[in-house]
Amino acid sequence: MKKQVLVAGGGIGGLAAALGASRAGWDVRLYERAAAFSEVGAGVQIGSNVVRRLQAWGLQQPLLAVAAFPSRLQVRNAVSGQELAVLPLGPTAVQRYGAAYATIHRADLHGLLLAAVTKYTDTQLHLEHAIDGFTDADGVVTVRTSRGKAVEGDALIGADGLWSRTRTQLLGAVPPRVTGHLAYRALVPQHALPDALRTGQVTAWLGPRLHAVQYPVRRGELQNLVVIVQGPAPHDLENWDHAANAAGLEHALQGTCTALQDVVRSVSAVGGAGWRLWPLCDRPPVRSADEMAQGLVGLLGDAAHPMRPYLAQGAGMAIEDAAELQRALAMHDLDVPLRLRRYALNRWQRNARVQARSTRNGRIFHATGPARWGRDLSLRLLGERVLDVPWLYRGDGSSASSL
């Protein structure tokens, strides 16, 4: 008889967990609070480390059908407009790391995972059900859903995001920390832009107390724009998707170069959905395996290690988590708590390193004064050596750990 895992959350992390657990031979019941599966947000960068995981799940063709594959990463000074450094992607990424570097609409990534779960697994998907709490006793985990149901399983995976109720019960009611950074995001049809504003690459603009990133998504048909500035967050953090004031963003970009301002103004010029605002929250880096699994309960993705977007690995680490969860759950000679312990041991240090590096990158991206000049000089002198991250793109956190 197959063991059964209960998954809290139907976002990218929850669907990846369901796919991995199913491939490990487990029955899966997934519970999603919303009335329909959907994903808000805009673009996501997925490095070679993540693309390799998707390929291992047989999702190369679905990925090719919806993603873009930028030719290079360019870094520019947001004030002068000067190019500071370039990292080749495209065939170079495939040669170095065994898989391409992709950029994708968040909804498209969510959609291809949902399609895989629906088509290739027997996962039971329960909409309008949230997991409100659990008990872990006598070798069984029992969850309480928002509809008043009690459901038993052999394991529970909390993939219920930044405000995870599973995490709160497992680790205590410590809220995420407010970073003081605000992300303005927009999507623009590339065909509506002048040729000079279209792009087939990733461009990062670094300025004092701000930075911007633009890249293609959805086969290159759309351009994703994100501008991150430092400022006070809205009071209602849990409802974190807010309509943004374009005038406020333009005010924040005063003093930046004309080229960047033209890109930002293009959002209003072509009409469409306009800007959305996200206040960014995170948590300190994971401190031990106990922060990712205890007993019959594990945490995955943002429920375990929400991070700042300055290494473009938030969704990627959730997918890596799910791949490692698959390996651990397939260890049928181990008791379930030991399998989840193995999962946590193999993931927590890599996640902590990515969290710490993301925070560090934010300080570098937004540097002012002498630190800013030093950053630009390092990029001009060292270029590709500064931008490449071999330990990240080559690895996947799957090295064996002792129990």
Side-chain angles (χ1 to χ4, degrees), residues 53 101 152 187 276 321 341 353 396 401 403:
R53 296 303 96 213
Y101 190 104
E152 292 186 348
L187 285 164
R276 306 297 296 179
D321 283 351
R341 180 70 176 173
R353 186 178 186 184
D396 66 359
S401 298
L403 291 171

Side-chain angles (χ1 to χ4, degrees), residues 91-111:
T92 302
V94 176
Q95 180 181 12
R96 287 179 179 172
Y97 302 121
Y101 190 104
T103 51
I104 187 170
H105 193 299
R106 194 174 189 92
D108 292 338
L109 177 58
H110 183 269

